[in-house]
Amino acid sequence: MKDVCAREITCLRLSVTDRCNLRCRYCMPPEGVCGRLHDEICPAEELAEITRQAVSLGVRKVRLTGGEPLVRRDILEICRDVAALEGVEELCLTTNGTALSRLAAPLREAGVNRLNVSLDTLRPDRFAGMTRGGRLEDVLRGLEAARKAGFSGIKLNVVLMDGFNRDEIPDFVDLTRRYPLEVRFIELMPIGQGAAERFLPASAVLEACPELEGVDVSGVARRYRTPGGRGLVGLIEPMSHRFCARCDRIRVTADGKLKPCLHSEQEIPLRGLRGEALRRAIREGIESKPPRHYMAETGRSGAARNMNQIGG
């Protein structure tokens, strides 16, 4: 289905929880956030029904997000239900990687095709400081488990932050020389706890690694490769180069609200709807998708929630 701007909507980002086992400084306050009550969160069967109706309108790719989706006890059931839906061509999952050492193989068996792992630093001390107690070794073990489980095309999501990981850009790029993965540098957005003073444009990657050669554009990422490299470098620039004209996604929060745009206040309630009524609500969301966001003009996101409450 196309929206009013003639964009084909083919991707659903489906949040399964607003909880997380880390407390990243740009995402949450020190005390964490108060997660929604159990009965406020969509059960597995409702998530599957929402996905079924979205697929009937043209969605082909589903990404499960959080919070941290792997803290949800029935995550494997959700994966199996969504993967089994006719019309779902790709099921992806975004995770902080800390639970992959035990769940990578079961996720693969449950139908997950691809993983995105959030990792903003390769230094244990910085990782512990940024996540308020997380251990880098847990993520590295998880990545190895994912490789052994047969996941290919793993993407590392690196949020660029001035004064934190600018000096690690070459280290992350070097990973793509040695491994067949994609490192995606993402500009920090003014949403939730994101600090404007830490904003670092994605152009800093090209300045730090001038040897990078342009390859193509894939979704919202401009992609590059090092000479002879095995992997790819992606630049995702929601601030510097708005990619709204190519946006092909809608989002559903863990409590069942459809967000046509990440940076809009608009939320369409889906809970309790089924069949044609649910399909009409999703269609309404697609048709009301705004042409673009206005963060460059306002300096802030229009979203009324933190990122963990929306879904990454």
Side-chain angles (χ1 to χ4, degrees), residues 1 28 39 45 50 88 100 120 169 183 196 198 241 243-244:
M1 179 177 172
M28 295 187 186
D39 60 2
E45 58 269 21
I50 289 171
V88 174
L100 279 179
D120 301 324
I169 290 174
V183 173
R198 287 207 160 183
H241 298 86
F243 45 70
C244 300

Side-chain angles (χ1 to χ4, degrees), residues 48-108:
E49 176 64 10
I50 289 171
T51 305
R52 180 182 293 107
Q53 296 303 329
V55 168
S56 76
L57 292 169
V59 163
R60 296 292 176 262
K61 174 181 174 182
V62 180
R63 176 175 299 283
L64 302 180
T65 69
E68 169 50 46
L70 299 188
V71 304
R72 182 155 170 167
R73 292 181 180 180
D74 59 350
I75 186 61
L76 296 178
E77 175 188 349
I78 294 170
C79 292
R80 285 190 289 266
D81 290 348
V82 172
L85 293 174
E86 184 177 356
V88 174
E89 298 175 358
E90 186 176 24
L91 175 59
C92 310
L93 185 142
T94 296
T95 173
N96 61 32
T98 56
L100 279 179
S101 59
R102 64 180 177 84
L103 285 176
L107 287 168
R108 185 72 171 162

Side-chain angles (χ1 to χ4, degrees), residues 112-171:
V112 177
N113 305 116
R114 189 163 53 77
L115 295 173
N116 281 29
V117 178
S118 300
L119 182 61
D120 301 324
T121 177
L122 298 172
R123 301 187 183 184
D125 57 336
R126 289 184 179 179
F127 186 88
M130 175 57 68
T131 60
R132 298 188 175 100
R135 301 192 309 170
L136 178 61
E137 62 188 88
D138 293 339
V139 182
L140 298 181
R141 281 202 303 266
L143 287 168
E144 178 60 17
R147 185 192 66 79
K148 290 181 178 179
F151 283 104
S152 60
I154 293 173
K155 295 180 179 179
L156 295 186
N157 290 343
V158 183
V159 176
L160 287 166
M161 288 171 278
D162 201 15
F164 176 69
N165 59 8
R166 179 198 282 261
D167 61 338
E168 292 189 66
I169 290 174
D171 298 332

Side-chain angles (χ1 to χ4, degrees), residues 33-47:
V33 295
C34 183
R36 294 187 176 274
L37 299 175
H38 177 74
D39 60 2
E40 294 181 291
I41 300 298
C42 290
E45 58 269 21
E46 196 163 4
L47 293 172

Side-chain angles (χ1 to χ4, degrees), residues 286-299:
I286 293 174
E287 291 176 343
S288 62
K289 188 174 175 67
R292 67 181 183 92
H293 68 70
Y294 295 91
M295 291 188 294
E297 292 87 347
T298 65

